[in-house]
Amino acid sequence: MTTEPLFLEPYFQPKIWGGRKLETVFDYQIPDGKIGECWAISAHPHGPSRIKNGPLAGMELNEAYKSQPEYFGNPTQEVFPLLTKILDADASLSVQVHPDDAYAEEHEHELGKTECWYVIQADPDSYLIYGHHAKTRAELAEMIDSGEWDHLLRKYPVKTGDFIYVPSGTIHALNKGIMVLETQQSSDTTYRLYDYDRVDEKTGQKRDLHLQQSIDVTTVPSTDPKLEIKTEQKGASTFTSYIEPPVSPFFSVWQWRIKDEQEITHQNAPYTLVSVIDGKGTLKADGKEYSISKSDHFIIPAQIKSWKLDGDLQIIASEPN
């Protein structure tokens, strides 16, 4: 029996800060309104992807993970560990922070949330909120209570092509004009620290803040992870390793710029998550050939030990650690 890659139908999330770039840039058929997130490879119950092809066609990824564990190397983890998104920040996101596994399990009954971003597009002079200036937790609480946001929050300039690692406990926010591919733990827990006093058009109310939880989980003092980004040339193609163990205990993330035929294998897990963010080409796996192009997302399952990519492709790939 041949095994096919699992091509996925994304789930789209409306957000008050969202826009229409998921339609104009990636040609997705998205709902009306402000759509902020494409949950591209997701087994999270708040927005599961659906498998489009092969013997598992029509099945949600969370269902496949539980009922067909052989596709994922018979994992011991109860839930699919990663979530791949594309975010379109047409307005700035709230300033927020995510808990680690221990806090999230106790208080939210799900995984913590460490994440990272590959910047697909960024307007000129774009910046993130990343980290803070408080030296102690008491100082953090005092600055939050008095609304000293300009003194508390650190601004971090970004441009197209940048990669940013956001461990749990890091105060952060994507700002207006930035589009990213996000790789994260499969969690939907976000603690809002500051939301610019915005009013939700649908409810007429300000969105809830989570000040005590934010103070509880924020890393103090703020830290900047040291990444060892490595690039390797193979023929005409370029392979970049953004993050691997031990820097990240949760995932490995790579960029593959494919210009000629390249054979790929799993690295740190029995299955690989693949997102095509630009270009088009072919995927050859288990005796079959598939046309792939920008906006495609798929999983190479455990039964496929190696595969070949060809064409002109820009890919972000990841594996759980």
Side-chain angles (χ1 to χ4, degrees), residues 44 46 100-101 104-106 108-112 186-189:
H44 196 282
H46 292 175
D100 63 14
D101 280 347
E105 181 178 2
E106 179 181 355
E108 310 295 342
H109 310 296
E110 70 165 356
L111 296 177
S186 185
S187 171
D188 198 25
T189 295

Side-chain angles (χ1 to χ4, degrees), residues 117 119 126-130 154-158 164 166 172-175 178 180:
W117 301 319
V119 181
S126 291
Y127 68 92
L128 309 169
I129 299 299
Y130 189 99
R154 293 169 50 190
K155 294 182 178 180
Y156 185 94
V158 291
I164 301 97
V166 189
H172 64 278
L174 285 178
N175 284 329
I178 301 173
V180 300

Side-chain angles (χ1 to χ4, degrees), residues 136-164:
T136 66
R137 201 167 303 278
E139 184 181 13
L140 174 70
E142 182 179 341
M143 295 176 80
I144 290 171
D145 185 58
S146 57
E148 297 180 53
W149 305 115
D150 288 340
H151 293 104
L152 175 64
L153 302 175
R154 293 169 50 190
K155 294 182 178 180
Y156 185 94
V158 291
K159 62 185 184 302
T160 300
D162 282 350
F163 179 84
I164 301 97

Side-chain angles (χ1 to χ4, degrees), residues 1 14 42-43 57 70 88 98 101 114 164 179 195 215 222 230 257 297 317:
M1 183 184 75
S42 168
E70 64 275 11
D88 169 23
H98 306 304
D101 280 347
T114 284
I164 301 97
M179 190 177 205
D195 198 32
I215 294 166
S222 198
K230 301 174 184 177
R257 287 187 174 268
H297 306 270

